[in-house]
Amino acid sequence: MTADLVQASWTRIDAWLREHAPRTFATLQPPAGDDEIAAAQEELGITFPPALVASLLRHNGALETPEAFRFSSGDRLLGVRGILGDTGFLRGIDQGLDGETEGYWLYDYVKFGSYDVTSDGLLVDCRTGRDSFGAVGRFFDETGTSFGEADSLGEYLAKEADQLERGQAAGIVTFNGRLLREAPLPIRPKYSADEPLPAPDEQLPELDLSYTPTDLLHVSHLDGHEELGALIATLPYEQVVEAARKQVRRLAVETGLNDYPEVETALNAWERGEAPPRPDQTDPLALRLRAVLAQADTRQDRTRRWAAEQIALGIWGSPYKSVCESATVRSHFTLDWRADLHADLGHQPLPPIPDDQFWGALSNPAVDSSWYAAQYTQDRS
């Protein structure tokens, strides 16, 4: 029954990925061989639960790429080779803890999912003769092992299939053929746009008006947007400006900030190509945004504060910084922010997810990629 549940769950997962996230599906590897699985058990000196064997007979892990299939925990599926490597590494840590390992890592634990950037990951209990045999837990390198994920790998995979089939209600997003997972969006507090404009002498937070259109953007802002960041970095300047205007408008609508006449007037003028003159702290638009900052601080609503700051950055600052940061703030309001940004960038063909070499070779005077360029030069020499 356990092996059947594993097979049925992988069938559901594979079908969903094949239809909605083919690039992620392509990272799942063909089955492991019976001999390979048997040899791994012999090398580790343990018996794999039937569910783990059944899973390996379906997929021998997922390729370690940016598109890789990952569980909802963020862990990439490991194949036999990865299981041996990661489990052996954690056994080495275990030997250095002077026996203090009951809540950290035990010899009969086997890691089958890896977070990759740390030693964190999913594991299965392989202690035969115990009720916990086959139970799924998670290891954190700072705090050790905890259980409660599922009583078996089959049950865990069934929950993963359920989540995928729930789609955006479960934070499931697809973009450019990849599976992505987002936290479900919180319920946003409602605001009224009927408040009168504050008086110039009212005590309000200061608005950052130090932005200039020529401010350099650090490449880390683009890198965080993956292939969309690479597209922004290589598009003509005018297209980035247009995308920045559209992103700020989307953000203003999503947050209700466009309901304030001062904001709506400024955005309309900006979209007509009439850049408003740089104000001081008592300009009507600056006063309105400062009032929003005060309101957001009172309600401890950081995302609304960020949105108000993005209005100012969009109108008076660098379009490169604006389009990146507006998209980041919009991720707190909509799960479709990547698709929206791609549309605002003109639905241009997307480049591959960039690596350090891409950023090192980038030539864009608006983007500071000097550290990557220095590394790229060293590598070439």
Side-chain angles (χ1 to χ4, degrees):
M1 291 295 293
T2 300
D4 289 344
L5 182 57
V6 169
Q7 291 298 332
S9 299
W10 270 123
T11 295
R12 293 168 60 197
I13 293 170
D14 288 353
W16 192 94
L17 291 174
R18 193 181 290 111
E19 179 179 356
H20 300 285
R23 288 177 62 193
T24 297
F25 175 71
T27 69
L28 288 169
Q29 296 301 283
D34 291 322
D35 292 345
E36 185 180 10
I37 297 171
Q41 294 179 82
E42 183 176 355
E43 180 174 337
L44 292 172
I46 55 178
T47 299
F48 288 171
L52 179 57
V53 174
S55 182
L56 288 168
L57 289 173
R58 187 62 178 260
H59 290 300
N60 191 18
L63 293 174
E64 188 176 355
T65 70
E67 297 89 357
F69 172 78
R70 293 181 178 273
F71 297 108
S72 56
S73 59
D75 301 307
R76 177 177 59 86
L77 178 69
L78 291 177
V80 171
R81 181 178 297 180
I83 286 173
L84 290 172
D86 282 30
T87 301
F89 173 78
L90 288 169
R91 283 182 175 181
I93 293 177
D94 169 50
Q95 292 173 0
L97 292 176
D98 299 326
E100 189 180 342
T101 60
E102 182 63 33
Y104 197 79
W105 186 266
L106 296 182
Y107 183 87
D108 290 325
Y109 292 163
V110 165
K111 186 175 172 186
F112 71 90
S114 175
Y115 198 63
D116 286 334
V117 294
T118 67
S119 58
D120 301 353
L122 292 166
L123 62 99
V124 63
D125 189 343
C126 297
R127 292 177 292 175
T128 57
R130 288 175 170 258
D131 291 340
S132 62
F133 180 61
V136 175
R138 194 159 193 278
F139 172 79
F140 294 90
D141 58 6
E142 294 183 358
T143 58
T145 300
S146 62
F147 284 91
E149 299 287 341
D151 290 336
S152 71
L153 182 52
E155 179 184 316
Y156 186 82
L157 290 170
K159 290 179 180 179
E160 293 289 305
D162 290 342
Q163 188 180 75
L164 290 177
E165 290 168 356
R166 286 177 58 208
Q168 286 200 353
I172 298 299
V173 179
T174 58
F175 177 72
N176 195 26
R178 293 192 291 135
L179 168 64
L180 302 161
R181 301 175 191 263
E182 301 279 5
L185 298 173
I187 297 175
R188 306 295 315 169
K190 295 186 180 297
Y191 294 88
S192 170
D194 296 332
E195 303 93 345
L197 192 67
D201 58 351
E202 190 168 334
Q203 294 298 310
L204 297 168
E206 292 285 297
L207 184 67
D208 188 352
L209 298 174
S210 64
Y211 308 118
T212 69
T214 57
D215 287 341
L216 282 180
L217 175 69
H218 193 273
V219 74
S220 59
H221 290 80
L222 293 166
D223 196 12
H225 291 312
E226 299 178 317
E227 64 262 62
L228 285 166
L231 179 60
I232 293 168
T234 52
L235 280 178
Y237 176 82
E238 293 74 16
Q239 285 184 255
V240 177
V241 171
E242 182 63 21
R245 289 172 180 161
K246 291 178 177 179
Q247 283 286 298
V248 171
R249 172 63 77 176
R250 288 183 189 272
L251 182 59
V253 170
E254 289 161 351
T255 57
L257 292 179
N258 66 308
D259 293 336
Y260 294 110
E262 301 83 7
V263 175
E264 178 70 7
T265 298
L267 291 181
N268 288 340
W270 184 37
E271 289 167 349
R272 293 193 301 267
E274 303 168 10
R278 184 167 299 279
D280 59 26
Q281 296 291 333
T282 62
D283 175 270
L285 175 59
L287 278 175
R288 174 58 69 196
L289 294 177
R290 292 173 65 197
V292 172
L293 296 181
Q295 184 185 60
D297 290 344
T298 299
R299 299 199 190 185
Q300 297 183 329
D301 189 348
R302 292 181 301 169
T303 50
R304 187 169 173 85
R305 166 178 260 280
W306 294 337
E309 292 169 341
Q310 292 316 305
I311 300 295
L313 171 60
I315 293 175
W316 294 297
S318 158
Y320 285 92
K321 189 170 185 179
S322 174
V323 74
C324 290
E325 296 199 1
S326 293
T328 299
V329 176
R330 290 190 63 244
S331 70
H332 296 272
F333 293 90
T334 175
L335 297 179
D336 292 323
W337 66 271
R338 292 180 185 82
D340 292 340
L341 177 56
H342 190 204
D344 292 347
L345 291 168
H347 276 301
Q348 298 292 323
L350 287 165
I353 296 175
D355 56 15
D356 290 357
Q357 183 175 333
F358 173 89
W359 297 120
L362 179 69
S363 178
N364 185 332
V367 179
D368 177 10
S369 57
S370 56
W371 184 87
Y372 290 92
Q375 295 297 116
Y376 180 56
T377 301
Q378 289 179 8
D379 291 344
R380 293 186 66 184
S381 61

